[in-house]
Amino acid sequence: MRKSFAAVAALMAALVAGTGTPASADAQETHGPSLSFALLGDTPYGADQRAAFPALVDAVNADPDIRFVLHAGDVKDGTSTCDDARFADLAKLFGTFDDPFVLTPGDNEWTDCHRTAAGGYVPTERLNAIRTFFYPKAGHTLGRNSMGVRTQASDSRHSAYKENVLFRRQGVVFATVHVVGSENDLAPWSQLLGGDRPDLRLAEFTARKAAALDWIDTAFDTAQQTNAPGVLLLMQAEPTGTPGFSEIRARITDRAKAYGKPVLLVHGDEHVYEVETGYAGVPNLTRLETYGVTATQWLRVTVEPRSRAVFSWRPQTVPVS
């Protein structure tokens, strides 16, 4: 078996030792079926992390409780090229996870590809490229054991957004929402040959924002209709109060407040593991930023639907070989 009984015993011993997270007290109570998944972000950055990434894959694959992998975007650094060969290599690499691999895009994959060092691409052209490489079959994840997911591409109003997906596990609603750094694409494409293309850029921003707002509503509507114990939203960038994010932030906080049950807002981008409870003044909303710029650390997140907090997590370090 890939995940041995010895590994299960070792994991249980580690869990009894405590989680070191805000939900640690609840994590020690078992009220019903639970599951765990791996959370990554902003990796691999550069050649060294690309070389080290297979060891991270092996560590996740060896974990007996992991059922899927979430990646919060930025699968490359901001100065490496955005060419098809790199995207094909990374998609193949992510396909080596045994469990389903769910990715939300980051700005380094497309928004920032106007940079000279990244190849001077028109970002919207690279957005189409990452959809081709990382979402080759709408409604299905990467990973050796692909998982069927609901995709926003099935909505004729937002048919381009196959990267926005939704699925339910243990009753909890999981949704990826395409929200990225670089001011969510409001930052000018300043290094593009011939200069910024504001009409194209703002049209992209407006359409994607509309899709994001609708998808956030879909996630919470689904949670309410199914009496879900919790909601997890995954996006690359933190939705701050700045112009590129303010409407998205307001929609999340309004819907989370009305929902009343635990909501976990997961993101990357700033490369610092960070937890903020009562986010934006909403008691049931927690912001979790995952590790970034590392191929040696990740988070094991556990979902216990009958616990008070629903979500808990433990930092993990890839063993040195």
Side-chain angles (χ1 to χ4, degrees):
M1 293 177 62
R2 173 173 66 89
K3 297 181 176 179
S4 67
F5 290 110
V8 173
L11 176 63
M12 292 303 296
L15 288 174
V16 170
T19 67
T21 73
S24 59
D26 287 335
Q28 295 178 34
E29 277 184 17
T30 302
H31 299 288
S34 64
L35 64 77
S36 295
F37 63 88
L39 176 60
L40 319 173
D42 300 278
T43 187
Y45 264 50
D48 288 347
Q49 287 185 28
R50 170 61 183 85
F53 201 87
L56 187 154
V57 174
D58 289 344
V60 171
N61 286 349
D63 190 305
D65 281 356
I66 296 301
R67 291 295 172 261
F68 52 88
V69 180
L70 299 186
H71 192 302
D74 271 9
V75 299
K76 55 177 283 297
D77 62 36
T79 59
S80 57
T81 57
C82 299
D83 57 277
D84 286 358
R86 185 180 304 277
F87 290 166
D89 172 69
L90 290 168
K92 183 177 179 180
L93 179 64
F94 297 146
T96 61
F97 282 103
D98 287 339
D99 299 304
F101 179 86
V102 181
L103 170 71
T104 190
D107 54 357
N108 287 353
E109 285 93 282
W110 68 277
T111 307
D112 296 343
C113 292
H114 67 90
R115 296 173 179 171
T116 303
Y121 293 93
V122 175
T124 47
E125 185 275 331
R126 288 294 84 190
L127 175 55
N128 290 332
I130 66 170
R131 285 172 173 154
T132 298
F133 286 102
F134 298 114
Y135 310 92
K137 186 176 181 182
H140 295 268
T141 70
L142 295 178
R144 289 190 177 118
N145 294 294
S146 180
M147 174 174 66
V149 291
R150 180 178 175 183
T151 173
Q152 196 173 22
S154 62
D155 182 343
S156 61
R157 299 170 301 164
H158 306 299
S159 58
Y161 298 92
K162 57 183 179 178
E163 67 272 16
N164 286 342
V165 304
L166 183 151
F167 58 96
R168 296 175 61 231
R169 290 294 181 273
Q170 313 308 97
V172 171
V173 173
F174 295 81
T176 65
V177 187
H178 192 164
V179 176
V180 296
S182 299
E183 300 176 40
N184 206 15
D185 201 25
L186 284 187
W189 301 341
S190 57
Q191 296 182 39
L192 196 63
L193 184 64
D196 187 24
R197 301 186 186 181
D199 292 345
L200 179 61
R201 178 171 50 77
L202 292 174
E204 186 288 318
F205 166 80
T206 300
R208 185 167 42 81
K209 180 183 70 175
L213 293 171
D214 279 359
W215 202 236
I216 292 164
D217 283 339
T218 296
F220 281 103
D221 289 346
T222 301
Q224 291 176 330
Q225 292 162 6
T226 60
N227 195 27
V231 171
L232 185 148
L233 300 177
L234 175 70
M235 56 189 63
Q236 192 240 341
E238 177 187 353
T240 62
T242 56
F245 307 104
S246 57
E247 291 181 66
I248 291 168
R249 178 186 178 92
R251 186 65 55 88
I252 292 171
T253 55
D254 288 348
R255 292 303 306 253
K257 187 181 300 182
Y259 174 61
K261 298 177 186 179
V263 178
L264 190 62
L265 174 61
V266 179
H267 71 93
D269 193 34
E270 297 168 10
H271 311 160
V272 179
Y273 167 48
E274 190 173 36
V275 179
E276 185 177 356
T277 58
Y279 184 61
V282 181
N284 58 305
L285 177 60
T286 298
R287 178 179 69 86
L288 172 62
E289 180 179 358
T290 189
Y291 288 107
V293 194
T294 174
T296 62
Q297 291 178 293
W298 55 286
L299 293 176
R300 182 198 287 119
V301 183
T302 298
V303 175
E304 293 179 295
R306 297 182 186 177
S307 70
R308 186 171 63 253
V310 179
F311 305 101
S312 62
W313 48 90
R314 288 176 57 91
Q316 303 292 301
T317 300
V318 177
V320 177
S321 58

